[in-house]
């Protein structure tokens, strides 16, 4: 019997709004459950219990069928997010294999708090450790181990991404970049209000300019790449985009 995956939503096709695969057309599979409780989490419904009744246990074939029903032949990439998908073992390994059998790439983002052997099969693995503003603490030994294993054994591309809300977060991002200088490194301004309705693009662009200015002035960030949350600029705080 195939392993089950707790899925809280699937949607797309849409455009990936952040990280190394920004701008890529993709389907999204959002898993339920997280080992973190970030203060500014934009998907707290995946762990705070508010949407637990929407969680569906699905195997890889069922997810593939659902994605095809939604997206038809209009995608060749699937982004698996959460929550933290790294809490899930065999089920996601089976889903990644099934995607590859269909010629579809798998992109995954996780905070780097747990290891899964399927990390080595992911086409685009984004490790996104959480800065001080999240209220979470980084286990540097665990993160070091993950980064070393994907560096030496990973089959696909891997990168680091830090979301920056304030000066302390920026110092944390600089520490991450210094610790893993050879890993592609992305910075992204944080969205301070994930429940605000209406057009939030002016607020987001102001924060992006603030981050641009800090990176431009910092010689230690010469190799960093600063990106917006593209989906938030276009679709604001709407779910399922």
């Amino acid at each position: 019997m195939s392993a089950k995956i707790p899925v809280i939503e699937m949607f797309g096709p849409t455009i990936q709004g952040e990280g190394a695969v920004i701008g890529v057309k993709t389907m999204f599979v959002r898993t339920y459950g997280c080992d973190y409780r970030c203060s500014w989490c934009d998907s707290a419904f995946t762990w705070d219990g508010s949407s637990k009744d929407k969680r569906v246990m699905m195997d890889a074939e069922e997810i593939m069928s659902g994605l095809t029903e939604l997206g038809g032949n209009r995608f060749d990439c699937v982004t698996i997010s959460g929550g933290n998908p790294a809490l899930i073992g065999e089920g996601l390994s089976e889903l990644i294999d099934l995607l590859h059998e269909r010629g579809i790439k798998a992109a995954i983002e996780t905070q780097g708090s747990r290891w899964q052997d399927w990390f080595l099969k992911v086409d685009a693995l984004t490790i996104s450790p959480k800065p001080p503003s999240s209220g979470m603490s980084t286990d540097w030994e665990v993160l070091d181990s993950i980064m070393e294993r994907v560096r030496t054994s990973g089959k696909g591309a891997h990168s680091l991404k830090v979301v920056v809300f304030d000066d302390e977060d920026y110092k944390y991002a600089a520490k991450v970049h210094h610790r893993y200088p050879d890993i592609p490194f992305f910075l992204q301004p944080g969205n301070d209000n994930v429940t605000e309705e209406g057009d939030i693009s002016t607020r987001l662009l102001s924060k992006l300019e603030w981050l641009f200015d800090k990176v431009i002035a910092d010689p230690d960030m010469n190799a960093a790449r600063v990106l917006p949350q593209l989906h938030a600029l276009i679709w604001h705080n709407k779910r399922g985009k």
Side-chain angles (χ1 to χ4, degrees):
M1 180 179 292
S2 296
K4 298 286 187 175
I5 299 166
V7 176
I8 195 163
E9 63 178 359
M10 295 191 291
F11 59 92
T14 186
I15 302 298
Q16 173 59 260
E18 56 192 62
V21 289
I22 189 170
V24 172
K25 183 163 67 168
T26 186
M27 299 294 293
F28 270 86
V29 176
R30 194 180 295 279
T31 63
Y32 188 86
C34 192
D35 51 329
Y36 275 22
R37 299 292 183 266
C38 295
S39 61
W40 36 251
C41 181
D42 63 0
S43 53
F45 61 91
T46 63
W47 52 262
D48 66 6
S50 62
S51 298
K52 191 174 182 179
D53 60 331
K54 295 181 173 62
R55 179 189 61 179
V56 180
M57 301 303 295
M58 306 175 72
D59 64 26
E61 290 283 357
E62 290 169 328
I63 292 172
M64 191 70 244
S65 177
L67 292 170
T68 302
E69 183 177 348
L70 285 169
N73 63 354
R74 294 176 292 132
F75 68 97
D76 63 7
C77 178
V78 171
T79 299
I80 303 167
S81 63
N84 183 10
L87 299 181
I88 303 163
E90 183 182 351
L92 276 188
S93 182
E94 292 174 358
L95 177 58
I96 293 164
D97 288 342
L98 183 58
L99 292 172
H100 287 163
E101 288 172 13
R102 307 287 179 89
I104 299 169
K105 294 181 175 63
I108 290 183
E109 179 173 324
T110 177
Q111 58 260 46
S113 60
R114 301 282 186 95
W115 171 262
Q116 291 289 350
D117 288 343
W118 51 254
F119 282 7
L120 303 180
K121 301 191 289 187
V122 174
D123 299 284
L125 177 66
T126 300
I127 306 294
S128 183
K130 306 308 178 188
S133 65
S134 70
M136 299 294 104
S137 298
T138 300
D139 186 327
W140 294 103
E141 289 187 8
V142 170
L143 187 56
D144 285 347
S145 173
I146 289 172
M147 298 312 300
E148 179 62 17
R149 292 175 78 174
V150 296
R151 185 185 68 82
T152 57
S153 304
K155 304 297 190 296
H158 59 281
S159 61
L160 283 158
K161 186 191 78 177
V162 176
V163 179
V164 177
F165 284 82
D166 54 32
D167 289 338
E168 285 302 307
D169 286 358
Y170 186 82
K171 291 177 184 177
Y172 173 90
K175 178 179 179 179
V176 171
H177 189 34
H178 178 75
R179 197 176 186 98
Y180 314 107
D182 298 327
I183 307 297
F185 185 68
F186 297 86
L187 289 171
Q188 172 185 303
N191 180 357
D192 293 304
N193 186 348
V194 298
T195 62
E196 180 182 355
E197 297 182 357
D199 189 340
I200 63 173
S201 58
T202 298
R203 174 167 61 80
L204 295 180
L205 288 171
S206 176
K207 202 64 176 286
L208 182 62
E209 183 179 12
W210 167 81
L211 188 54
F212 276 171
D213 289 342
K214 292 190 76 68
V215 169
I216 288 167
D218 188 349
D220 292 329
M221 287 290 190
N222 289 352
R225 302 179 219 181
V226 185
L227 296 174
Q229 280 190 307
L230 189 61
H231 58 292
L233 286 176
I234 303 301
W235 292 302
H236 315 300
N237 282 326
K238 294 178 183 177
R239 281 271 300 273
K241 292 293 187 180

